[in-house]
Amino acid sequence: MDGLGLPIPVDIYTSFIKECTETRDPAGAGALVAHINKSGIRPGLHFLNRILLMYVSCGLIENARQLFGKMPVKDCNSWAAMVAGYIDNNKYEEAICLFVELMRNHQNERRNANMLGFPYSWIVVCILKACVHTKNLGLGKQIHGWLTKIGYSSDLFLSSSLMNLYGKLGGIEGVDCVFDRMPCRGNTVVWTAKIVNLCREMNFDEVLNVFNEMGREGVKKNEYTFSSVLRACGRMEDDGKCGEKVHASVIKLGLESNDYVQCGLVDMYSKRGLLRNARTVFEMVGGQRTDACWNAMLTGYIQHGDCIEAIKVLYAMKSAGLQPKESILNEVMFTCGSRNLENQIEGL
């Protein structure tokens, strides 16, 4: 069609844009836009948004920014695509600046609860993520205040994002503030987020309290819930009793074959010195062991001075084509001693 000088219909351009977006082909995207520019068509907002999304998907963030700046009209999808581009490229400050610009341009609408609809709510989630990475708690609190005015509490994604913000930057008080104001707390994600933040604060006793409260409230527990709770159990001085109870719950719910849970069990038993229990779980995993599971078992032997078993695990990892973390290898050398280590290797 191009060789014959025939005009290319917009639908065909749209199909090529979709293909470039899905294949993430920057060279193809550049050539396609050049052809569109020569075609003389007057693209509308939706067509420009497609090109914007294509640029973002292909990693052409500067091209996207140039197009965004030239667009005479923008809608929420335009802003969302641009924010996504900055977040995906770890340009968190740029994403925040763009959000501030968005809020200034929508001063009247931002007081409206309709701004919590998609994709606005998704944009806010992205900016809260940017606040965490840039440690900008001040902006995060301002966004929280604005969301409170327009009634965000029923949005689980926003609530979870705020809990993550406060958990990483502002302490457990902010997490509790968000959690306690939720009208419906039957969601696994928000309960797990609270548990994760308690673990981050090393408030392990409270982790168990929240975990038990989840049971009383009838909230479903998933692999991420158990992974975090097992981490807390591994750091509690109770001879592994709480960990054994959690392990029983894992078996009852049929989650013992999950990678996260298995690794959590091995780590928990190892931390408490229950190496036989840890080894039992480790052996049950079989050929499906993750790197984290191997490292957890190896670390357990090192921490309790069982150099022979640690060396055996090292050899098994090597046979499985895995490489332990350098920090763990250094621990092996420090714990066993280089000479002692050589003697034990020879004795295997």
Side-chain angles (χ1 to χ4, degrees), residues 30 62 90 107 111 115 157 289 291 332:
E62 295 304 324
N90 301 325
Q107 285 186 351
R111 295 183 178 87
M115 281 201 76
F157 291 105
R289 301 183 190 105
D291 289 4
V332 174

Side-chain angles (χ1 to χ4, degrees), residues 270-292:
S270 296
K271 287 284 192 304
R272 302 289 9 110
L274 302 171
L275 295 178
R276 287 187 180 180
N277 302 57
R279 188 74 192 200
T280 299
V281 176
F282 182 77
E283 294 295 342
M284 287 175 60
V285 180
Q288 304 300 317
R289 301 183 190 105
T290 62
D291 289 4

Side-chain angles (χ1 to χ4, degrees), residues 229-240:
V229 173
L230 287 168
R231 180 176 181 272
C233 291
R235 288 151 181 82
M236 294 180 65
E237 300 295 336
D238 68 344
D239 299 322

